[in-house]
Amino acid sequence: MGKPKQQVISRFFAPKPNINNPSTSSTTPSTPPPKITATVNFSPAKRLRASQLISPHTNKLPYDDHPIKPTKTPKLVHNPTLHQKFLDKLLEPSYDLQEPSKCQETANPKYTPLEQQVLELKERYPDVMLMIEVGYKYRFFGQDAENAARVLSIYAHMDHNFLTASVPTFRLNVHVRRLVSAGYKVGVVKQTETAAIKAHGKNKLGPFGRGLSALYTKATLEASEDVGGGDEGFRSCNNYLVCVVEKGIDGDDVKLGVVGVEVSTGDVVFGEFNDNFMRAGLEAMILNLLPAELLVGRPISKQTEKMLLAYAGPASNVRVEDVSSDRFSDGGALAEVMSLYEGMQESYSLDVQEREEAEMKTHECNQIAIQGIMAMPDLAIQALALIVRHLKQFGLERVLCLGASFRPFSSNMEMTLSVNALQQLEVLKNNFDGSESGSLLQCMNQTLTVFGARLLRHWFIAVTQAILLAAKQLQQLCIEEDKSMKLRETLRSVLLRKLISIASSSTVISAASKLLSALNKEAAERRALHNLFIVSDGKVPEVAEGTRRVELANEKLDSLILMYRKQLRIRNLEYMSVAGITHLLELPLDTKVPPDWVKVNSTKKAIRYHPPEVLVALDELALANEQLTVICQAAWNNFLTGFGGYFAEFQAAVQALASLDCLNSLAILSRNKNYVRPLFVKDEEAVQIHICSGRHPVLERVLQDNFVPNDTDLHAEREYCQIVTGPNMGGKSCYIRQVALIALMAQVGSFVPAFSAKLHVLDGIYTRMGASDSIQQGRSTFLEELSEASDILKKSSASSLVILDELGRGTSTHDGVAIAYATLKYLLEHKKCMVLFVTHYPEIVSIKNEFPGSVGPYHVSYLTSQRDVNGDFKSNEKMDHINSEDITYLYKLAPGVSERSFGFKVAQLAQLPVTCIQRAVVIAGRLEAAVCKYTERNQTRRSSSLSYKERSCKESESVEDVLEPDCLSAGRVEGLDDISELYRELFLNLNFAFLEEHGDERRLQFLMQARSLAAQLIIR
């Protein structure tokens, strides 16, 4: 059997003989066929890429090519478009082929009824990706299909006039979330009539009626009923919809109005402020809210647009939509917002007394919301009006009416963390991959609910003094042990009693009990809409009537099976279901049935039928089920309307539960990690931070018992500035970060990782750490560094904690030292705040002479196995010394200045080439030699100079300090050359001779010295 098959296969693949001219095969040598190489890959992304690489100059479609007429002498001619046709056939059609309506404008394509509906829907919603329900699938058409195929990794193909792709209906939740996460505005178009209703209606022959039933974006997804509130893994703590409106002032400065709305909770945050060219205030608010969607009110300046687009870049998947704010520029914004509260009275499905109470509570909530709106500034009201117009297309504008809480972005009661503090201290996300892993929030988050996690996040972003008071009252929550060894809990905290009373209010409990009594809990967990309502005791009579019709249809089917048992004389005859087809009668092959029975399918031993009576009964059952679905959906909408009457009470209860969840999270953290309760001094006392054996809360989890604690002692009336030096990787940045995080945790209301902590309430934590640039916004690394320092100098106060890590390293040594010195001096003179200053410039430590008792030099200690090497060593000897030297970092803060940074050891750890390190050792030796030589010459010059008055000496003291060898150490690799050294000293003396702060005698001395040096240069 195998041989004949093989012969057939061989014949199939054998070359066909040339019938037209058989003699040419022997006389004329045939041209070898062109070599075609193609890699066929069915990955959707690669298919899309292949279609993009197709030449756009090919105007003809593959099926438009005219057939080549046969010639007398057939030859295989190389066709340059053959590979093109192969890709068109087997991979992905070109863009012109995907949408022939664009490439064939003159043609009049004939659209199907479904395609006519698609065109009408796309004309009404041009910026929406439509998912159109067709049977058991949701289909995409045209460009939407191409985008959906790329995001969802599904296959797109041509169908009639459009490219199309589809997903099953039961996966709607997942696919909507994936498309929305990719930044699309997704609209779900559902069939407004079912097959059974359509069959019994007037539109029997026409297409199904369809309409837009839901619209989703990232900011509105969680508030949606059908796809919102899904798996916890899909959720994020914040889904703010933020609108930005701008008004120019002078130059590049602008006034900004920003409003953020959390649609799922009704939280409204607003702010209006003047911002500078860098848009630092807008950036701080955007990064604090972390919006999922941005509404940009046009017109807007280029600088603001750059900042917003930098946040909502391609990798962020943040959706940006432009809206016009011109219509509200001359007024009308307040009227647009107030129109929401007109006609708010609804027909609640409650008793008369309950309806009156619900309407009264709604009126009170509306009055509170209106007062909050009236307190908003003008630009913020414009932004809120744009958000209202945006939410109307989703049907979610009522969120702003039902107990929405309006609060300003920052107030006197809040310590708002700056953008740099959130990023550089890794409070919300780490700096490695941008996730929450390894952040302070992830370390402290022990909450059990989503709203608790959201509230805890807000506590970190805007640390309120109200929470600080809560932390003080938590001290009264103690557990005492009596003589019988039984634990007795005593609740004394006023805050806890208030939260518990709100969460366990009798009004909330009674309302919840009444609402839940109408629902079937098990059916709700299964999402069974037909069984959701309890219809006993006359509740929801419409649902009861619809359920009764379904039961009658099922009873009719059950009565038919009894008739068929008697008719066929089969006692155990039962209905069966196969492949989704129900109520089948399976009979043996030899069974005689009436001719009007419909054969559905069969097997080798049996045939399955649908009798005509069963088909009629199934039609009635389908109609009853679909009518019940419509009735239950209407009943559910009425239930939600009734729930709206108690929205304010439930919202207050949820907020109280969120606060209790956060406090419980902090209590669990304090108990499991052996944290201590921080003590806060009174407001009238001096600002101070005292930490004994403080630990880094995140690194402690990694290192556990191996972490080395450190002490911190800062006091406004004593030493309030620490200048920290030390070797690279010695723990300087870890120390200053841990001080900031401990202060932040304490002010949040948490216990802290330390043996003891005593501090004052801080109004801000400001940081300047690390190195980064923003090329998209036109900011270099050094500009970013100085912008952050400028922001600190403007916003910090005497009650602030300022952290500066290696300020001035982004420029030359002299400029960096000067800027760092001047910045630190400004903080010490004008701000007098708590300062932790990390530097590798030992010259800055001299500032302690100007502020005695206020500045203390410290270093992170270390141990070395060799003595320090001096400049007399040769390069190879010094290299051997570096290789043999062992360094042990102690990570302990100690008084004093570190003399070495051990940069060559870090270079070895980074695996720099040995030749690079050797060359660096040589250059370092030359620099040290130049410094030593210059120091000797300077001392000789000073000893031989003429004496002058004490006043002149004091005036020139600052200039003498500038001439110290450490300040002139950079760039002196060529300083060993005598001529270069003479030129350098010549110009230095000339510069100092023209300084007016010196006396005439001193200036004459500089000129004489310059003349002598010039004479030496002339001789040489």
Side-chain angles (χ1 to χ4, degrees):
M1 295 297 292
K3 190 172 182 180
K5 289 184 178 180
Q6 180 64 34
Q7 292 174 356
V8 171
I9 295 175
S10 301
R11 270 200 318 273
F12 182 79
F13 286 99
K16 296 181 179 180
N18 194 343
I19 302 174
N20 295 332
N21 193 357
S23 62
T24 57
S25 62
S26 59
T27 59
T28 305
S30 61
T31 305
K35 184 179 180 181
I36 300 175
T37 304
T39 301
V40 182
N41 194 306
F42 293 95
S43 169
K46 293 187 178 180
R47 285 201 306 270
L48 178 62
R49 180 57 179 165
S51 66
Q52 293 174 352
L53 293 177
I54 293 176
S55 175
H57 304 292
T58 305
N59 296 325
K60 291 185 178 181
L61 299 178
Y63 46 77
D64 290 337
D65 293 343
H66 298 287
I68 300 174
K69 297 181 179 180
T71 59
K72 295 182 179 179
T73 306
K75 294 178 63 178
L76 292 174
V77 182
H78 175 68
N79 188 355
T81 63
L82 190 58
H83 182 66
Q84 171 77 31
K85 294 180 180 179
F86 175 77
L87 292 178
D88 290 342
K89 285 286 185 180
L90 296 183
L91 294 182
E92 192 76 46
S94 65
Y95 184 76
D96 295 337
L97 182 60
Q98 292 173 6
E99 299 191 14
S101 59
K102 292 185 178 180
C103 64
Q104 300 177 359
E105 295 179 356
T106 58
N108 187 15
K110 186 177 181 180
Y111 294 109
T112 64
L114 175 61
E115 290 176 340
Q116 289 285 356
Q117 285 185 339
V118 172
L119 291 175
E120 294 174 1
L121 289 169
K122 288 302 294 183
E123 187 177 357
R124 294 175 59 187
Y125 311 104
D127 60 336
V128 180
M129 177 181 285
L130 296 178
M131 300 179 67
I132 301 174
E133 184 181 14
V134 182
Y136 296 101
K137 293 182 179 180
Y138 283 100
R139 295 180 61 181
F140 304 89
F141 294 90
Q143 188 64 36
D144 292 346
E146 185 177 347
N147 295 334
R150 183 181 66 252
V151 176
L152 304 178
S153 299
I154 58 179
Y155 181 70
H157 60 92
M158 287 297 299
D159 184 15
H160 292 86
N161 298 296
F162 292 104
L163 189 72
T164 182
S166 62
V167 295
T169 55
F170 62 88
R171 297 279 290 174
L172 175 67
N173 190 325
V174 176
H175 291 303
V176 166
R177 285 181 171 273
R178 291 178 64 184
L179 291 171
V180 167
S181 298
Y184 288 99
K185 187 177 183 180
V186 181
V188 176
V189 178
K190 291 187 177 181
Q191 297 175 174
T192 57
E193 55 184 358
T194 62
I197 296 178
K198 180 175 178 293
H200 291 79
K202 298 180 180 179
N203 188 26
K204 293 183 179 180
L205 301 178
F208 283 94
R210 293 180 176 89
L212 186 68
S213 63
L215 202 59
Y216 307 103
T217 58
K218 295 188 73 173
T220 61
L221 185 66
E222 296 299 336
S224 304
E225 176 188 350
D226 46 0
V227 301
D231 298 335
E232 297 296 326
F234 284 101
R235 294 188 178 186
S236 59
C237 288
N238 285 337
N239 285 292
Y240 275 100
L241 169 65
V242 173
C243 182
V244 180
V245 178
E246 182 182 273
K247 180 181 180 181
I249 302 179
D250 292 325
D252 294 322
D253 294 343
V254 294
K255 177 179 286 188
L256 293 170
V258 184
V259 174
V261 177
E262 174 61 78
V263 184
S264 60
T265 61
D267 185 26
V268 180
V269 184
F270 64 89
E272 180 179 302
F273 49 88
N274 297 334
D275 213 349
N276 55 14
F277 174 76
M278 304 304 294
R279 302 296 188 266
L282 177 60
E283 184 179 12
M285 189 168 185
I286 291 296
L287 291 183
N288 281 332
L289 295 178
L290 294 177
E293 189 173 355
L294 283 173
L295 293 181
V296 181
R298 298 290 181 175
I300 203 167
S301 63
K302 291 184 177 179
Q303 192 64 22
T304 304
E305 184 177 7
K306 279 185 178 181
M307 201 288 301
L308 294 176
L309 292 180
Y311 168 76
S316 64
N317 287 331
V318 175
R319 187 176 180 274
V320 181
E321 182 173 337
D322 293 339
V323 292
S324 177
S325 59
D326 293 336
R327 61 171 299 171
F328 297 134
S329 58
D330 298 331
L334 185 60
E336 177 75 20
V337 177
M338 290 302 178
S339 64
L340 292 177
Y341 300 93
E342 296 178 359
M344 285 293 297
Q345 289 78 15
E346 298 192 12
S347 57
Y348 300 114
S349 57
L350 304 173
D351 299 336
V352 177
Q353 182 178 359
E354 294 175 347
R355 187 184 302 115
E356 293 178 354
E357 294 178 357
E359 291 177 355
M360 185 180 299
K361 293 175 182 177
T362 303
H363 179 71
E364 293 177 358
C365 294
N366 291 344
Q367 291 298 322
I368 296 175
I370 291 174
Q371 292 177 2
I373 292 173
M374 297 300 295
M376 296 173 62
D378 294 338
L379 284 181
I381 292 179
Q382 288 187 27
L384 182 61
L386 293 176
I387 287 182
V388 170
R389 290 179 59 86
H390 179 75
L391 291 178
K392 282 184 178 179
Q393 58 184 323
F394 300 89
L396 297 173
E397 69 277 5
R398 289 283 311 279
V399 173
L400 301 177
C401 306
L402 296 175
S405 58
F406 293 82
R407 59 181 177 88
F409 172 67
S410 60
S411 62
N412 296 329
M413 290 296 292
E414 290 185 349
M415 180 191 76
T416 303
L417 292 180
S418 64
V419 180
N420 301 326
L422 289 173
Q423 292 179 344
Q424 297 165 3
L425 296 179
E426 299 180 306
V427 176
L428 303 178
K429 298 180 179 179
N430 63 45
N431 294 331
F432 174 67
D433 57 0
S435 64
E436 288 189 359
S437 177
S439 65
L440 179 64
L441 177 62
Q442 189 262 345
C443 175
M444 297 183 61
N445 188 6
Q446 306 289 331
T447 55
L448 304 175
T449 61
V450 175
F451 43 83
R454 185 186 297 116
L455 180 62
L456 184 63
R457 183 188 184 92
H458 173 69
W459 284 4
F460 279 106
I461 293 175
V463 185
T464 61
Q465 292 185 4
I467 300 301
L468 174 63
L469 297 176
K472 292 182 177 180
Q473 292 177 350
L474 278 178
Q475 301 171 10
Q476 302 175 5
L477 181 60
C478 60
I479 299 177
E480 299 178 354
E481 187 175 3
D482 57 6
K483 297 181 180 179
S484 61
M485 302 298 292
K486 294 182 180 179
L487 296 179
R488 182 180 58 194
E489 297 181 0
T490 305
L491 186 63
R492 301 177 182 175
S493 172
V494 177
L495 175 64
L496 289 180
R497 287 202 301 268
K498 182 178 179 181
L499 292 176
I500 293 174
S501 63
I502 294 175
S504 60
S505 171
S506 58
T507 305
V508 174
I509 294 175
S510 60
S513 300
K514 180 172 183 176
L515 291 172
L516 291 176
S517 64
L519 300 179
N520 186 346
K521 181 180 178 182
E522 296 179 355
E525 294 175 351
R526 299 194 311 267
R527 293 181 176 269
L529 183 61
H530 289 182
N531 300 323
L532 180 61
F533 294 95
I534 299 175
V535 296
S536 60
D537 301 332
K539 297 179 179 178
V540 200
E542 301 85 359
V543 177
E545 183 180 354
T547 305
R548 180 58 183 165
R549 285 197 293 266
V550 173
E551 292 175 354
L552 290 176
N554 285 318
E555 290 176 0
K556 183 177 181 180
L557 285 169
D558 294 339
S559 64
L560 289 175
I561 193 65
L562 299 176
M563 182 184 68
Y564 296 134
R565 286 174 184 172
K566 294 179 181 180
Q567 181 180 351
L568 298 174
R569 298 179 180 180
I570 301 176
R571 295 182 179 179
N572 58 350
L573 182 65
E574 296 290 345
Y575 289 124
M576 67 176 306
S577 299
V578 177
I581 303 175
T582 62
H583 295 84
L584 291 171
L585 295 180
E586 186 178 73
L587 302 175
L589 296 176
D590 56 352
T591 304
K592 295 182 180 181
V593 297
D596 57 350
W597 283 30
V598 180
K599 177 183 175 182
V600 179
N601 51 44
S602 62
T603 63
K604 291 183 179 181
K605 298 181 179 181
I607 301 177
R608 302 183 184 104
Y609 298 96
H610 260 162
E613 298 85 2
V614 171
L615 291 176
V616 174
L618 285 175
D619 192 16
E620 294 176 357
L621 177 62
L623 179 61
N625 279 321
E626 291 170 2
Q627 290 176 346
L628 180 60
T629 301
V630 174
I631 294 172
C632 290
Q633 187 63 47
W636 173 247
N637 293 335
N638 292 333
F639 177 83
L640 294 179
T641 302
F643 176 80
Y646 302 101
F647 184 83
E649 288 84 352
F650 283 108
Q651 185 184 41
V654 169
Q655 291 175 352
L657 288 174
S659 300
L660 290 172
D661 191 11
C662 291
L663 295 176
N664 177 66
S665 174
L666 299 180
I668 293 174
L669 178 73
S670 305
R671 181 190 62 189
N672 295 342
K673 300 296 182 180
N674 295 323
Y675 288 179
V676 299
R677 176 174 56 84
L679 299 178
F680 285 91
V681 299
K682 297 181 179 180
D683 295 339
E684 55 270 14
E685 295 188 27
V687 180
Q688 53 192 282
I689 298 177
H690 304 289
I691 301 173
C692 180
S693 298
R695 309 182 301 274
H696 195 289
V698 179
L699 289 182
E700 185 188 18
R701 298 180 60 186
V702 180
L703 301 177
Q704 296 181 358
D705 296 337
N706 296 325
F707 190 86
V708 179
N710 275 299
D711 299 340
T712 304
D713 189 6
L714 297 174
H715 198 284
E717 297 178 354
R718 299 194 299 270
E719 181 180 287
Y720 57 90
C721 174
Q722 290 183 353
I723 300 179
V724 183
T725 58
N728 293 293
M729 301 177 62
K732 303 184 297 296
S733 298
C734 176
Y735 165 70
I736 59 177
R737 278 189 172 97
Q738 96 180 16
V739 175
L741 292 179
I742 289 175
L744 175 60
M745 292 174 64
Q747 198 144 331
V748 165
S750 170
F751 285 22
V752 296
F755 181 77
S756 64
K758 181 180 179 182
L759 64 160
H760 194 278
V761 176
L762 302 176
D763 62 0
I765 298 177
Y766 302 94
T767 62
R768 168 36 258 157
M769 307 175 72
S772 62
D773 56 15
S774 182
I775 301 300
Q776 185 177 2
Q777 301 183 51
R779 303 184 189 179
S780 65
T781 303
F782 193 56
L783 178 58
E784 285 281 341
E785 185 176 339
L786 293 187
S787 298
E788 294 172 4
S790 173
D791 188 64
I792 292 174
L793 296 182
K794 292 177 181 178
K795 296 181 179 180
S796 60
S797 66
S799 299
S800 302
L801 173 62
V802 176
I803 292 177
L804 299 174
D805 190 358
E806 299 185 26
L807 180 65
R809 65 179 177 180
T811 183
S812 65
T813 304
H814 296 134
D815 293 348
V817 171
I819 292 175
Y821 190 97
T823 302
L824 181 58
K825 186 175 181 179
Y826 184 90
L827 288 172
L828 296 175
E829 279 186 347
H830 300 280
K831 300 296 183 178
K832 295 183 179 181
C833 53
M834 305 289 103
V835 180
L836 296 176
F837 195 95
V838 174
T839 183
H840 282 286
Y841 300 137
E843 302 85 359
I844 298 179
V845 181
S846 62
I847 200 174
K848 67 178 182 179
N849 299 326
E850 300 185 36
F851 301 92
S854 299
V855 180
Y858 293 87
H859 72 283
V860 286
S861 55
Y862 58 91
L863 296 176
T864 59
S865 59
Q866 300 286 344
R867 293 181 300 173
D868 291 343
V869 62
N870 53 36
D872 296 335
F873 277 65
K874 296 181 180 180
S875 62
N876 56 352
E877 295 177 353
K878 189 169 184 179
M879 189 66 192
D880 296 338
H881 170 80
I882 292 173
N883 291 331
S884 61
E885 186 179 26
D886 293 331
I887 304 173
T888 303
Y889 295 122
L890 301 180
Y891 303 106
K892 197 70 176 177
L893 195 69
V897 181
S898 177
E899 298 179 356
R900 299 181 60 186
S901 295
F902 299 100
F904 296 121
K905 300 298 292 186
V906 179
Q908 289 179 339
L909 289 176
Q911 297 181 354
L912 258 65
V914 179
T915 55
C916 293
I917 300 178
Q918 290 177 349
R919 179 60 179 168
V921 170
V922 173
I923 296 175
R926 291 181 180 180
L927 287 171
E928 292 176 2
V931 169
C932 294
K933 184 176 181 180
Y934 185 82
T935 302
E936 294 176 358
R937 291 188 178 183
N938 193 30
Q939 291 177 354
T940 303
R941 189 187 309 119
R942 287 182 180 180
S943 61
S944 60
S945 60
L946 299 174
S947 60
Y948 47 89
K949 296 181 181 180
E950 184 177 0
R951 180 182 60 82
S952 299
C953 181
K954 292 181 179 180
E955 291 178 351
S956 62
E957 184 176 357
S958 60
V959 181
E960 299 265 339
D961 292 338
V962 174
L963 292 175
E964 289 296 327
D966 289 338
C967 296
L968 299 176
S969 60
R972 295 186 59 88
V973 177
E974 304 297 332
L976 297 177
D977 187 85
D978 292 340
I979 296 179
S980 299
E981 183 67 24
L982 289 173
Y983 272 112
R984 185 184 299 275
E985 294 184 2
L986 170 64
F987 289 120
L988 284 175
N989 282 278
L990 288 175
N991 289 331
F992 292 133
F994 289 102
L995 293 177
E996 297 180 357
E997 60 186 40
H998 297 294
D1000 293 338
E1001 295 180 358
R1002 183 60 172 164
R1003 296 168 66 185
L1004 179 62
Q1005 176 188 356
F1006 283 123
L1007 287 174
M1008 296 298 294
Q1009 183 69 18
R1011 180 180 179 181
S1012 175
L1013 293 173
Q1016 296 181 29
L1017 289 172
I1018 292 174
I1019 295 174
R1020 296 193 180 190

